[in-house]
Amino acid sequence: MKKIFILTAVLSAFILTGCSSAAGSDENSGLGEITLSVTEAEVTEAETEAQSEETTQAEVTELAVASGDDVIEADEVGFEGMEEISADKVKDGTYHIDVDSSSSMFKIADCELTAEEGTLTAKLTINSKSYDHLFAGTAEEAAQADESSFIEPEETDEGRVFTVSVEALNKKVNLAAFSHKKQLWYDRVLVFRADSLPEGVVPEKEKITASTLGIEDGEYTVEVKLEGGSGKASVESPAKISVKNGETTAVLKWSSDKYDYMIVDGEKYLPEITDGSSVFEVPLSSFDTELKMNADTTAMSTPHEIEYTLFFDSSTIS
């Protein structure tokens, strides 16, 4: 920049000496070239500085976001057939609600959900001081955001409590978390589970049954998905179902013969042991929704009753 100032001073001196018009004409031509040259230099320098700033910002963002070995594969959140429930559909009040997290390192110990005049606010309790801030968005967005947009915790006896806005239930929500130890932003995905709220807080989903589907009496099969327990047990899929007078019964064939009873809708059912499997006939109240069923296993040192979730996909009925 010093060279530019010197050139400007020299040019001013030429003009003040009152050179002849002819010579001035030639010199003005030269001045025009010099001025153009200086302007181009200024532009080039400005562009270089701007590019340098952009590169620096990109590097800062990259350094602030967890990657590579710092990232553990995310768990799937939500459930099959999940239907979003907007905030204005939730009855006003304060409730404790279950929250799915995409990371075992970001476990929500408790969530207090408040519904008021069409808005939802959640107080998330984390039983550790592992995270200094949260951000409503992705880790990359958090790394570029102003600190004023960070969600700061409240220190309590139970742990750190972060208050966040919730757009809807049964919806995957991006929430970045800043690690105290690593000093990095991590991507987290949460789902606020409507099915954990008391009855009547959200509108009940219309049950999809054999009758609503127009299925006639007869024998069919349907794909079934099982979740819960240690993940070692499974049920045969597709499962056999029978429809009679609009009521549906499902045959659940377990991968083990160690299940000695099931509890479905408060009723206890006993199995038939066939080919190394515990086989139950249980009522199927609806399709395309999560059904909670308990099964007691004797495979451990003492019997354990385990809660399972089953999902019967009506689109696969054949």
Side-chain angles (χ1 to χ4, degrees):
M1 292 299 291
K2 290 182 180 179
K3 292 181 179 180
I4 295 173
F5 292 141
I6 294 170
L7 286 173
T8 303
V10 173
L11 292 175
S12 299
F14 274 118
I15 294 171
L16 292 174
T17 55
C19 297
S20 64
S21 60
S25 175
D26 292 339
E27 289 168 0
N28 286 340
S29 175
L31 287 174
E33 293 175 359
I34 294 172
T35 302
L36 179 60
S37 176
V38 170
T39 303
E40 287 175 348
E42 290 176 334
V43 171
T44 301
E45 185 173 348
E47 287 178 346
T48 301
E49 290 178 355
Q51 289 173 358
S52 177
E53 288 178 2
E54 288 177 2
T55 301
T56 302
Q57 178 59 47
E59 290 175 347
V60 169
T61 299
E62 185 176 352
L63 288 172
V65 178
S67 61
D69 293 339
D70 286 322
V71 180
I72 299 174
E73 185 177 355
D75 297 328
E76 188 61 35
V77 293
F79 54 92
E80 200 164 351
M82 183 171 69
E83 291 187 6
E84 183 179 318
I85 298 175
S86 59
D88 60 342
K89 296 290 195 303
V90 184
K91 183 179 179 181
D92 282 4
T94 299
Y95 318 94
H96 286 276
I97 186 172
D98 292 341
V99 182
D100 288 352
S101 171
S102 62
S103 173
S104 60
M105 305 298 289
F106 190 73
K107 184 175 177 60
I108 307 302
D110 183 57
C111 176
E112 185 180 271
L113 182 77
T114 298
E116 185 176 11
E117 298 182 351
T119 63
L120 294 174
T121 304
K123 290 186 176 182
L124 304 175
T125 300
I126 300 175
N127 289 339
S128 74
K129 295 185 178 181
S130 299
Y131 298 97
D132 292 337
H133 330 282
L134 299 184
F135 177 81
T138 65
E140 185 174 346
E141 291 169 341
Q144 298 179 26
D146 188 89
E147 290 186 12
S148 61
S149 62
F150 296 171
I151 302 168
E152 304 296 344
E154 173 190 353
E155 301 289 349
T156 70
D157 293 338
E158 289 74 29
R160 288 186 167 174
V161 179
F162 295 87
T163 301
V164 302
S165 296
V166 180
E167 182 181 345
L169 307 181
N170 292 352
K171 178 182 180 179
K172 294 182 179 182
V173 178
N174 290 317
L175 194 68
F178 188 78
S179 169
H180 176 79
K181 181 179 180 180
K182 296 285 189 177
Q183 293 293 292
L184 294 171
W185 285 102
Y186 285 80
D187 281 313
R188 302 294 185 234
V189 181
L190 302 181
V191 171
F192 295 84
R193 298 283 297 256
D195 58 357
S196 64
L197 290 170
E199 188 175 342
V201 174
V202 296
E204 287 190 16
K205 178 182 176 181
E206 183 182 358
K207 288 186 176 181
I208 299 176
T209 64
S211 296
T212 61
L213 292 170
I215 298 176
E216 297 180 354
D217 288 0
E219 305 291 326
Y220 305 89
T221 62
V222 62
E223 295 287 343
V224 57
K225 182 179 180 181
L226 174 77
E227 292 182 351
S230 64
K232 295 180 180 179
S234 62
V235 293
E236 187 175 77
S237 182
K240 295 178 181 178
I241 60 172
S242 62
V243 179
K244 186 176 182 180
N245 299 325
E247 300 293 328
T248 306
T249 301
V251 177
L252 298 179
K253 185 176 182 180
W254 289 84
S255 56
S256 166
D257 61 1
K258 302 302 182 182
Y259 290 94
D260 59 349
Y261 70 80
M262 288 187 69
I263 303 292
V264 181
D265 295 333
E267 295 291 330
K268 185 175 183 179
Y269 295 86
L270 301 178
E272 177 182 342
I273 306 301
T274 305
D275 299 328
S277 295
S278 295
V279 182
F280 295 84
E281 288 191 20
V282 299
L284 180 56
S285 59
S286 62
F287 298 93
D288 302 338
T289 190
E290 287 192 322
L291 301 175
K292 303 292 185 182
M293 300 181 185
N294 286 13
D296 187 74
T297 177
T298 60
M300 305 179 190
S301 56
T302 57
H304 280 76
E305 191 174 295
I306 303 170
E307 183 180 78
Y308 292 96
T309 300
L310 291 93
F311 183 90
F312 295 82
D313 186 353
S314 67
S315 67
T316 64
I317 296 174
S318 62

